[in-house]
Amino acid sequence: MTAHDKDVKRMELQIGQLISIVANQNKRLNRIEDIERKRNFGNVHILPFAERG
């Protein structure tokens, strides 16, 4: 394996780690937004248009 191949492999691993970090941060943000939404609106459930009568 050449030095170039090793660099490419290392970069692929780092990109995978970054994707994982971003996904985890997105989950955390979604949880925070959910908590904030519950705090502001309580247990109000908004029905999609298809379910409204």
Side-chain angles (χ1 to χ4, degrees):
M1 186 176 268
T2 67
H4 176 72
D5 292 337
K6 288 179 183 177
D7 286 342
V8 169
K9 192 64 165 173
R10 181 178 50 82
M11 288 177 69
E12 287 174 346
L13 290 172
Q14 288 176 337
I15 290 169
Q17 290 172 337
L18 285 172
I19 290 170
S20 179
I21 289 168
V22 169
N24 287 336
Q25 292 297 323
N26 190 45
K27 283 182 186 177
R28 290 179 68 192
L29 178 60
N30 286 339
R31 279 198 304 268
I32 290 169
E33 288 175 341
D34 287 344
I35 290 168
E36 203 53 37
R37 201 172 294 119
K38 284 179 184 176
R39 191 175 294 146
N40 291 334
F41 298 107
N43 287 329
V44 174
H45 297 288
I46 299 172
L47 295 175
F49 286 117
E51 294 181 23
R52 294 181 185 177

